[in-house]
Amino acid sequence: MSVSKDPERGTYYVQCRYRDWTGEPKKKTKRGFKTEKEARKWEYEFLKRMEGAPTMLFSELYEVYAEDTKMRLRQTTRETKANMIESKILPFLGHKRLNEITALDILNWENELMAMRTSNGIEYSQTYLHSICNQLSAMLNHAVRYYGLDSNPMVKVGKIGSKQAEEMSFWTKEEYLHFSREIMDKPQSFIAFELLYWCGLRLGEMLALTPADFDFKNKRLSVTKSYQRMHREDVITAPKTPKSVRTIVMPSFLVDEVIDFMKCIPDLRDFDRLVPATKSFLHHEMDRGSKAAGVKRIRIHDLRHSHVSLLIELGYSALAIADRLGHESTEVTMRYAHLFPNKQEDMADDLEIQRGTGMSVLDATKPMKQ
């Protein structure tokens, strides 16, 4: 441990060694302190924080939490979490010490969240509120596991919002076909929405597709990556979950459409993006096509729901659908339960047949013949 003065800048800096939450030795350097006193104060608080003291400020917990989880999360996930924490949590709880945050503090914070509005004066969605609460709860649980906090005060209060969206929008096959006819004038738009609807892809998965992902002979499409636009740069990442890496069998007409589309692109290479469009462009095309077709405007992600709805209507099981979507079957069952036909009456009728009619309750109580 040492505090030294930088002769060139005239400021002080700290160099200290510590062990992170896994027990691995680390070295930390912090520069830019105007006085030696400021540097030593920062060093003391940093080392106490690394020891797992629950007296650290919540804002300090955020720093170590971000570092601890950095290698476990995709970049897009990290940035989404950071945006929620920095804009919706730190302004209210950042100045408090961990062991001083009470259930009442959480309750008041949640009330503040529910009173917030977007720049357009619209309430935050129930799913967004629930996601923000998840971020705070995850941080407090992390502090319980690794930094000496006795308990998570959110457990007493509970989370506001809802894990699932209030309603699920989707198009019928007929509505989608009306829409697709209206966007045929732009081949890039047409093929993008064809892949989204008939394969049930996520938008990022579709935008990351390259010619190398297609096996036209066997009608296979490999989903191995996802596209994001971050900080004005194109970023290709792993799919959302390990289950999302999958192979999809395409209908023959879609194979022909993709082949025809590729023939129209000069100098297309195996690892070029097939649809080098932006998300905003496709949102605009959704607006244009929906209006022209006279169908309700749904979100692009709702095309994935529409694909599931069609498969359920065709009689496929939750397990088969989950395999195509890159979901767990339980997730499909819970999310789309209201779309599956209710088979209870049929089950009861079949059980009635299996039971037979020649046995009474009294018969059931008689000893079985040896």
Side-chain angles (χ1 to χ4, degrees):
M1 297 185 296
S2 66
V3 173
S4 305
K5 188 170 185 178
D6 187 330
E8 293 184 5
R9 296 183 176 89
T11 57
Y12 291 83
Y13 64 93
V14 176
Q15 286 185 322
C16 55
R17 297 185 182 277
Y18 67 98
R19 292 186 180 274
D20 67 9
W21 63 284
T22 66
E24 183 179 348
K26 299 276 188 178
K27 182 179 179 180
K28 177 73 173 179
T29 301
K30 179 74 172 178
R31 301 179 180 276
F33 298 101
K34 294 181 180 179
T35 65
E36 182 179 357
K37 182 178 180 181
E38 287 179 3
R40 293 198 179 280
K41 179 183 178 182
W42 181 90
E43 178 188 37
Y44 172 79
E45 292 179 348
F46 174 79
L47 291 176
K48 292 295 291 182
R49 191 163 74 236
M50 291 300 101
E51 290 171 4
T55 54
M56 73 171 90
L57 296 176
F58 184 83
S59 58
E60 294 172 333
L61 171 67
Y62 173 51
E63 293 180 21
V64 294
Y65 174 75
E67 187 64 28
D68 291 347
T69 59
K70 182 177 180 180
M71 301 305 296
R72 296 167 177 260
L73 302 173
R74 295 195 309 163
Q75 183 180 351
T76 50
T77 304
R78 292 200 305 270
E79 295 198 3
T80 299
K81 289 171 71 73
N83 180 266
M84 290 185 188
I85 294 169
E86 292 171 11
S87 64
K88 303 298 187 300
I89 302 177
L90 290 186
F92 299 90
L93 300 174
H95 64 286
K96 286 185 170 290
R97 299 198 177 275
L98 273 181
N99 59 354
E100 294 176 352
I101 298 176
T102 65
L104 182 59
D105 291 326
I106 303 295
L107 180 65
N108 290 334
W109 170 73
E110 289 183 343
N111 289 336
E112 289 281 352
L113 278 184
M114 289 189 288
M116 285 184 178
R117 298 293 183 270
T118 67
S119 57
N120 297 327
I122 301 172
E123 294 181 353
Y124 290 128
S125 71
Q126 293 299 301
T127 49
Y128 184 59
L129 291 174
H130 193 76
S131 294
I132 298 171
C133 288
N134 281 342
Q135 305 312 315
L136 175 58
S137 187
M139 290 179 66
L140 293 172
N141 285 333
H142 192 78
V144 171
R145 291 190 188 98
Y146 306 112
Y147 294 104
L149 185 64
D150 288 336
S151 62
N152 179 352
M154 180 169 269
V155 173
K156 295 181 180 179
V157 184
K159 302 173 185 176
I160 58 174
S162 173
K163 184 177 180 180
Q164 298 294 340
E166 293 81 357
E167 63 179 270
M168 184 181 295
S169 297
F170 56 89
W171 278 337
T172 64
K173 181 184 68 175
E174 290 70 25
E175 287 175 316
Y176 173 73
L177 292 175
H178 283 309
F179 166 83
S180 65
R181 280 193 286 270
E182 296 299 334
I183 58 169
M184 281 183 176
D185 59 324
K186 293 185 179 180
Q188 180 175 250
S189 301
F190 177 73
I191 202 65
F193 287 112
E194 285 285 273
L195 287 164
L196 289 168
Y197 180 78
W198 295 108
C199 293
L201 298 174
R202 298 180 179 93
L203 179 56
E205 293 171 345
M206 186 279 295
L207 290 174
L209 291 177
T210 67
D213 295 320
F214 293 86
D215 176 0
F216 295 124
K217 180 179 179 181
N218 296 302
K219 300 190 294 186
R220 262 56 174 179
L221 170 59
S222 297
V223 180
T224 60
K225 52 194 175 296
S226 184
Y227 166 86
Q228 300 288 336
R229 180 75 177 172
M230 295 188 298
H231 309 301
R232 298 182 180 180
E233 292 185 358
D234 294 336
V235 179
I236 301 296
T237 66
K240 188 175 182 181
T241 65
K243 185 80 174 177
S244 299
V245 178
R246 62 199 188 278
T247 300
I248 296 174
V249 181
M250 299 182 293
S252 296
F253 72 82
L254 184 57
V255 170
D256 293 338
E257 289 175 351
V258 175
I259 291 174
D260 290 343
F261 177 72
M262 288 185 182
K263 289 178 179 177
C264 297
I265 305 176
D267 303 322
L268 180 65
R269 297 169 299 182
D270 282 350
F271 297 99
D272 289 338
R273 285 173 55 211
L274 181 68
V275 182
T278 63
K279 292 182 178 181
S280 60
F281 170 77
L282 293 175
H283 283 296
H284 172 77
E285 288 297 272
M286 280 289 283
D287 290 336
R288 182 176 74 91
S290 300
K291 184 177 180 180
V295 297
K296 61 181 178 290
R297 170 63 157 91
I298 62 174
R299 301 172 305 163
I300 291 179
H301 189 72
D302 289 326
L303 290 172
R304 187 167 158 88
H305 300 322
S306 302
H307 183 69
V308 175
S309 174
L310 178 60
L311 294 179
I312 292 173
E313 185 180 333
L314 293 173
Y316 289 97
S317 68
L319 182 61
I321 295 171
D323 186 54
R324 190 170 178 84
L325 290 184
H327 273 322
E328 298 293 342
S329 59
T330 52
E331 187 176 356
V332 169
T333 301
M334 289 188 295
R335 182 171 297 186
Y336 301 101
H338 62 291
L339 296 180
F340 283 95
N342 191 327
K343 297 291 186 180
Q344 290 285 351
E345 296 293 337
D346 293 341
M347 288 177 186
D349 291 341
D350 288 340
L351 290 171
E352 180 74 21
I353 294 171
Q354 295 300 317
R355 166 67 164 75
T357 57
M359 185 175 178
S360 68
V361 174
L362 292 177
D363 291 332
T365 61
K366 294 178 181 179
M368 296 183 65
K369 293 182 178 179
Q370 301 298 318

